[in-house]
Amino acid sequence: MKLVWQRGAATVRDVYEVLLERRKIAYTTVMTMMKILETKGYLKKRRQDRAFLYRPAHPKNQIIRGMIREFIDRVFNGSAEPLLVHLVKSHHLRERDLQKIVRMVEESE
Amino acid sequence: MKLVWQRGAATVRDVYEVLLERRKIAYTTVMTMMKILETKGYLKKRRQDRAFLYRPAHPKNQIIRGMIREFIDRVFNGSAEPLLVHLVKSHHLRERDLQKIVRMVEESE
DNA sequence: TATTTAGTACTAATTAATTCGTATGTCAAG
DNA sequence: CTTGACATACGAATTAATTAGTACTAAATA
């Protein structure tokens, strides 16, 4: 659901129409979902004309980071290293690949 | 639940007693959970004396890998690189740290 | 042997998450 | 004005997941 958010801001109708392409769903269902996301603090709303315009309450990066943390906690009891090991293994990463990433990150700092 | 598995093999009672230390839970609840895990193919059982002895149906690594993949699919639409970027950022990893990991992996191959 | 104990199978109750319907309000077009 | 389109609010129905109760069985033991 939240992925539809990465279009900046959207009304219930916007989301509804996108979801409808993939599966049968009721308008009010989407509304309820968005309201829940709002009360949970993931979205904030603002009146725009007649409808509410929802937008993310926090920067995407922050949310993603939270999800990663939660995953690491749950699966690896909080330590990130094993996750890295797995990634390196199953994607056959070599030093070069990682260097590229480190460089990307360093440039953006 | 499945984390309790990483003690090799266990009966319902074993698990029950560990869980009980942390929260009130019924013996049959644990049983049901383990049975579900079995029908889902995560555990397999074998009679041992009167009780069933459950053990993982697949190597832990394989399950973890599946969980990682599923996470990456859900959060990053299947591409692992953004996850790495996040990890590097939020754990302040430098080349050295990653080299260490790559070396670890290479040694174990 | 009669009774307690430790286990399973099966079912039921509870709780949480998802999905949707209906009532109602507002604005715009006719 | 009245009607239709589009929105929300609120509550209800549905489905899925979690938790637990009861009946029954076999072994252990008094």
Side-chain angles (χ1 to χ4, degrees), chain A residues 24-68:
Chain A
K24 172 184 164 283
I25 192 167
Y27 182 90
T28 49
T29 303
V30 179
M31 229 190 56
T32 308
M33 290 191 302
M34 296 184 57
K35 197 178 334 183
I36 288 174
L37 290 180
E38 194 224 340
T39 58
K40 285 196 178 171
Y42 291 114
L43 296 177
K44 53 187 182 197
K45 67 182 172 182
R46 230 184 75 196
R47 258 233 140 71
Q48 190 206 42
D49 299 320
R50 305 216 273 117
F52 287 128
L53 182 69
Y54 286 87
R55 47 180 69 251
H58 305 288
K60 176 178 174 183
N61 277 347
Q62 186 176 316
I63 301 294
I64 300 269
R65 205 168 306 144
M67 294 172 74
I68 294 176

Side-chain angles (χ1 to χ4, degrees), chain B residues 13 27-28 31 50-52:
Chain B
R13 175 148 304 271
Y27 182 90
T28 49
M31 227 189 58
R50 306 216 274 119
F52 288 128

